[in-house]
């Protein structure tokens, strides 16, 4: 079965890591027709007036799934964040970031296995900021009951469907009594209504951050509003080797956009230094999603073979520089392709 997937190479290291990912997926036998579309600075460079051209959004609406590299939002010029715009336009309300210890990547912990589920559409990322008077700015944190309930249900469903046991909500409802208060109330009510077979707990986010770095194994699925989820994802990425090894996906009711947690990393762009593993792992998540939603077991087989190949490379010291190795982006992809069985 062949799948048409929208590919957005993005900016900075985006084109390098998407190219490497495409090569590995093709070598592993993934039957994918890539439909390339632009977004971010790459869109402006092609003469588009919009960071997120209508043709890019339409392609995802038509085909349902996209693999996306990181995109730049130029500072100034009145552009709002491309990632926020894409999530809002497609109503990609649930972000998922699996954080797992990886064989061959030495960190302080070897037993991290958790999933960050992040509300993707509101909170402080609603982008509603006002200049009250010179030197006084307000930034509005939006919480709606619909979105809080929807992400709670998404988090519990994700937890259950992956055979996991516990959902922990991170919040600061002791200070933001109304907005975070609504978030935890909705989560608690949904748990009581339909998910009480799972364990459920609420933790104040500052103390929870300390607990994560002391012992990450006590967490399973972490449910957060938008800003907390963004920060916690990077914190957790640091537990398992950094942004080069952290995949991610954004889900709506109808569409899914798969993108790694890292940004455009302009400091290493265009130098064959970027680690393509985060996007490759993201591609593996995408294959598992295709297997599930399109009933195509071959995608599971391809995903397993890619995972085995990169695990083999990492445990045999074949890594990029961010993980202490010496391979470039292209050479690491070549090494993985060589190990595909
Ligand atoms: P953006 O503004 O697009 O978020 P950024 O540089 O501020 O970009 P990231 O791109 O997330 O943020 O990267 C932070 C740092 O992590 C970079 O300076 C880079 O050195 C490192 N990094 C991020 N992704 C990778 C990767 N895939 N491989 C190697 N290093 C990476």
């Amino acid at each position: 079965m062949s799948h048409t997937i929208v590919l957005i190479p993005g900016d900075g290291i985006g084109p390098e890591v998407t190219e490497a990912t495409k090569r590995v997926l093709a070598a592993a036998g993934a039957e994918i027709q890539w439909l390339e579309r632009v977004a971010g600075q790459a869109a402006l460079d092609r003469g588009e007036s919009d960071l997120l051209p209508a043709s890019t959004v339409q392609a995802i609406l038509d085909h349902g799934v996209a693999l996306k590299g990181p995109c730049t939002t130029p500072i100034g010029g009145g552009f709002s964040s491309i990632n926020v715009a894409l999530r809002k336009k497609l109503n990609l309300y649930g972000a998922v970031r699996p954080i797992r210890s990886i064989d061959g990547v030495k960190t302080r912990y070897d037993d991290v296995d958790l999933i960050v589920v992040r509300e993707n559409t509101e909170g402080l990322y609603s982008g509603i900021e006002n200049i009250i008077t010179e030197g006084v700015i307000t930034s509005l944190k939006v919480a709606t009951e619909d979105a809080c309930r929807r992400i709670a249900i998404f988090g519990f469903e994700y937890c259950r469907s992956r055979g996991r046991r516990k959902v922990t909500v991170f919040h600061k409802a002791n200070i933001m009594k109304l907005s975070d208060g609504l978030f935890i109330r909705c989560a608690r009510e949904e748990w009581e209504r339909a998910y009480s077979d799972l364990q459920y707990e609420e933790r104040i986010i500052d103390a929870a951050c300390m607990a994560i770095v002391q012992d990450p194994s006590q967490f399973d699925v972490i449910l957060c509003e938008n800003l907390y989820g963004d920060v916690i994802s990077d914190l957790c990425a640091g537990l398992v080797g950094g942004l080069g090894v952290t995949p991610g996906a954004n889900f709506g009711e109808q569409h899914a956009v798969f993108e790694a947690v890292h940004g455009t990393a302009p400091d290493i762009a265009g130098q064959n230094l970027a680690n393509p593993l985060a996007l490759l792992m993201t591609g593996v998540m995408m294959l598992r999603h295709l297997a599930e939603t399109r009933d195509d077991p071959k995608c599971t087989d391809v995903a397993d073979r890619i995972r085995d190949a990169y695990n083999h490379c990492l445990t045999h010291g074949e890594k990029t520089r961010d993980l202490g190795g010496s391979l470039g982006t292209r050479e690491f992809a070549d090494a993985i392709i060589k190990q595909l069985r």
Side-chain angles (χ1 to χ4, degrees):
M1 191 189 299
S2 176
H3 304 278
T4 301
I5 305 292
V6 179
L7 181 75
I8 302 172
D11 302 311
I13 61 171
E16 297 164 82
V17 293
T18 46
E19 183 56 31
T21 300
K22 247 169 70 175
R23 281 206 294 128
V24 175
L25 263 65
E31 290 179 36
I32 291 178
Q33 305 288 328
W34 299 105
L35 186 63
E36 202 168 310
R37 289 288 180 269
V38 284
Q41 185 63 46
L44 302 184
D45 293 347
R46 286 241 187 126
E48 299 278 352
S49 55
D50 199 341
L51 283 179
L52 183 57
S55 57
T56 302
V57 177
Q58 192 56 49
I60 305 173
L61 289 170
D62 291 344
H63 298 285
V65 176
L67 182 67
K68 175 181 168 296
C71 290
T72 301
T73 302
I75 295 170
F79 294 110
S80 57
S81 162
I82 166 90
N83 292 328
V84 174
L86 187 62
R87 289 167 196 165
K88 280 195 178 158
K89 278 216 161 119
L90 296 169
N91 212 358
L92 301 169
Y93 65 86
V96 171
R97 276 90 188 260
I99 314 273
R100 285 194 197 96
S101 298
I102 301 165
D103 291 346
V105 178
K106 182 127 191 55
T107 65
R108 249 172 247 270
Y109 310 94
D110 54 16
D111 56 351
V112 184
D113 181 11
L114 54 86
I115 298 177
V116 179
V117 173
R118 164 186 172 191
E119 203 290 321
N120 236 353
T121 62
E122 55 180 32
L124 273 169
Y125 288 9
S126 303
I128 307 170
E129 296 193 307
N130 293 298
I131 301 170
I132 302 300
T133 183
E134 205 182 318
V136 182
I137 307 290
T138 58
S139 191
L140 206 65
K141 174 160 171 162
V142 178
T144 63
E145 176 149 357
D146 282 353
C148 293
R149 220 169 265 293
R150 181 174 66 171
I151 194 65
I153 293 170
F154 178 88
F156 288 125
E157 287 288 338
Y158 203 86
C159 180
R160 196 188 263 162
S161 69
R162 297 297 181 282
R164 288 177 172 263
R165 59 185 199 289
K166 183 167 81 172
V167 173
T168 306
V169 179
F170 282 15
H171 68 93
K172 194 76 188 171
N174 51 333
I175 305 293
M176 280 164 278
K177 294 185 166 50
L178 293 181
S179 53
D180 282 17
L182 179 63
F183 193 85
I184 54 173
R185 177 169 68 73
C186 291
R188 198 182 306 150
E189 285 174 3
E190 288 306 319
W191 175 67
E192 285 165 354
R193 181 184 66 79
Y195 302 100
S196 53
D197 54 309
L198 302 171
Q199 294 170 47
Y200 172 76
E201 62 178 11
E202 294 161 3
R203 297 239 196 158
I204 294 181
I205 188 161
D206 40 3
C209 285
M210 186 182 67
I212 290 184
V213 296
Q214 283 179 326
D215 177 14
S217 71
Q218 61 190 297
F219 294 99
D220 192 359
V221 174
I222 298 175
L223 177 63
C224 299
E225 61 85 86
N226 209 339
L227 170 65
Y228 306 156
D230 196 6
V231 176
I232 294 295
S233 301
D234 277 29
L235 172 80
C236 290
L239 302 174
V240 295
L243 293 170
V245 296
T246 313
N250 302 294
F251 295 101
E253 300 297 352
Q254 313 285 342
H255 311 98
V257 174
F258 290 81
E259 64 179 328
V261 173
H262 64 73
T264 55
D267 52 330
I268 55 168
Q271 299 167 57
N272 195 35
L273 289 175
N275 187 352
L277 189 55
L279 194 70
L280 183 59
M281 293 165 96
T282 302
V284 166
M285 279 179 85
M286 182 186 81
L287 289 168
R288 298 198 191 287
H289 172 77
L290 293 173
E292 246 175 67
T293 57
R294 300 188 183 175
D295 199 19
D296 181 0
K298 190 181 170 206
C299 286
T300 306
D301 173 55
V302 173
D304 288 347
R305 287 172 46 240
I306 294 174
R307 181 207 51 206
D308 292 348
Y310 69 64
N311 277 337
H312 182 279
C313 289
L314 295 172
T315 48
H316 288 78
E318 293 184 293
K319 312 175 197 180
T320 46
R321 285 204 210 169
D322 55 311
L323 300 181
S326 59
L327 298 184
T329 313
R330 285 189 293 275
E331 292 69 30
F332 182 52
D334 291 341
I336 296 171
I337 289 169
K338 233 188 202 167
Q339 289 306 325
L340 285 168
R341 305 270 172 234

